[in-house]
Amino acid sequence: MVNGAFYDDLETRDPDQREAALFAALPEHLGRARDKAAYYARLLGNFDPAQVTDRQALAKLPVTRKSELVNIQSAGDPMGGMTTVPPGQLLRIFQSPGPTYDAEGFGKDWWGTARALHASGFRAGEIIHNTFSYHFTPAGVMLEAGAHALGCAVFPAGIGNTELQVQAIHDIRPAGYVGTPSFLRLILEKAEAMGKDTSSLKNACVAGEGLPPDLRKFIEDHGIYCGQIYASADIGNIAYESEAREGLIVDERLIVEVVRPGTADPVADGEVGEVVVTVLRSDYPLIRFATGDLSMVLSGVSPCGRTNMRLKGWMGRADQATKVKGMFVHPAQVAEIVRRHPQISRARVVVTHDGHSDIMTFKFESGEGGEALQGALPATIQNVCKLKGTALLVPSGSLPNDGKVIEDARTA
């Protein structure tokens, strides 16, 4: 079981104190980004950083979506003008599928992963077996940096070569494992088949895929406490699991919002939307960076004593673009329809097929005037989506709170 000691005092700050500190630092952060990064000079040119001192002001800034990086980076600068230093002054540059390119700057624990590793039970002086890839993508380096910041040694295993990995664990006797949970299971099964000893492993910090209860139980039945980290190649640690296992706790260096998919508009706590992150980092200052992941904010604070915002965890993808009759319908188009009809409280496009052609139905919730709106909406749908669609008024509260604004219900 994890020792409950906190990584530092930041984790237990009064939430108002944390919020004040983050937003006190934000104007300078925005100003530096605007002055030194060509992309943000264009994006933030009409905004006064000094005025962005709370969440309401932050919500007025434009969102940059992860899905846009391919286009942003296609103009010659591999980082798309989003760094405040030339690419040659970065520590490393990585490539992710797309391809898109991710920066790493200089500094201790630049990715912020040490806090997550500590919450999973890793401690100074231990050896960590790191099975995340060191090739092209940053996951291996990202977690290694956090392990070094904790004072741990790292065996850079990378992926594959299961029998050699088992032999290394048997010989080196690491205390911790970092990687995907399914690969840890494979290692443990292979070790049993080979007759090798993996009992030195006491803690794991896993990511990269889901952790169903049966898989976590398999790992913990082998005497390994299994925690999770939610991270991305551009941001690093976004949130992590504590021993309370009630949501994922947001990293201290971030401002996290949850917005309605296809928009830049924050949703209420408890409503599912897209995770948007502002990273208070000088060399790669991501500002309102939409991850493409769905989640929601949990109310209250964690029973473990950490006081930062909690996310429920990964709940799907926000990029729900769906092809209908040969044309894509995007979440932003659904948001535009809603914007034109403020009476709509919640909406969802459902795509079905009648055996001959696609059918697009705009389901919506509305208060007074909903019946009349049902007749007016098809014209708006045609105008915005360039496709015909029907509108269907549904009872308030009947549309699921799952972050979906486009549902592909076609069975074939």
Side-chain angles (χ1 to χ4, degrees), residues 126-127 129 165-177 184 187-189 191-192 195-204 219-225:
E126 296 176 341
I127 301 170
H129 189 90
Q165 301 229 21
V166 168
Q167 187 67 51
I169 293 170
H170 178 90
D171 294 341
I172 300 172
R173 301 195 60 74
Y177 167 92
L184 177 53
I187 285 174
L188 294 172
E189 291 173 337
E192 290 176 0
K196 298 296 182 180
D197 181 13
T198 58
S199 63
S200 64
L201 292 175
K202 299 301 180 186
N203 297 89
I219 293 168
E220 297 198 329
D221 283 348
H222 283 74
I224 304 168
Y225 176 86

Side-chain angles (χ1 to χ4, degrees), residues 81 194 311 329 355 377:
M194 294 171 61
L311 298 175
V329 177
L377 272 167

Side-chain angles (χ1 to χ4, degrees), residues 358-378:
D358 294 333
I359 299 171
M360 185 168 66
T361 304
F362 185 89
K363 294 185 177 181
F364 69 100
E365 298 176 13
S366 177
E368 193 172 335
E371 293 289 348
L373 191 56
Q374 187 170 256
L377 272 167

Side-chain angles (χ1 to χ4, degrees), residues 16-32:
D16 291 338
Q17 180 188 1
R18 176 183 294 107
E19 190 85 347
L22 288 170
F23 280 92
L26 184 59
E28 181 181 352
H29 176 73
L30 296 175
R32 180 172 54 247

Side-chain angles (χ1 to χ4, degrees), residues 40-175:
Y40 288 112
R42 297 189 298 271
L43 194 71
L44 304 178
N46 295 326
F47 295 90
D48 180 3
Q51 301 300 312
V52 186
T53 57
D54 56 29
R55 288 184 180 269
Q56 291 72 31
L58 178 62
K60 296 177 182 177
L61 301 184
V63 161
T64 298
R65 289 196 149 77
K66 183 169 185 154
S67 58
E68 300 169 345
L69 286 183
V70 170
N71 293 330
I72 292 170
Q73 295 178 349
S74 65
D77 181 343
M79 300 312 304
M82 296 178 72
T83 59
T84 61
V85 298
Q89 292 181 20
L90 294 167
L91 179 60
R92 295 183 181 92
I93 297 173
F94 300 94
Q95 186 191 82
S96 291
T100 60
Y101 295 93
D102 306 304
E104 182 186 11
F106 289 85
K108 182 180 179 181
D109 194 22
W110 190 87
W111 303 96
T113 59
R115 190 178 303 280
L117 294 173
H118 185 273
S120 287
F122 294 58
R123 296 295 183 265
E126 296 176 341
I127 301 170
I128 306 304
H129 189 90
N130 183 4
T131 68
F132 279 123
S133 175
Y134 282 78
H135 181 64
F136 274 74
T137 59
V141 167
M142 186 188 300
L143 274 298
E144 179 172 293
H148 287 165
L150 279 179
C152 298
V154 175
F155 178 75
I159 57 177
N161 301 303
T162 309
E163 291 189 3
L164 290 177
Q165 301 229 21
V166 168
Q167 187 67 51
I169 293 170
H170 178 90
D171 294 341
I172 300 172
R173 301 195 60 74

Side-chain angles (χ1 to χ4, degrees), residues 257-260 265-274 295-299 309 346 401:
E257 306 166 88
V258 177
V259 307
R260 184 160 287 107
D265 305 327
V267 300
D269 289 359
E271 185 171 346
V272 178
E274 183 175 10
S295 192
M296 73 178 187
V297 175
L298 299 178
S299 61
M309 174 191 289
R346 182 174 286 180
N401 177 26

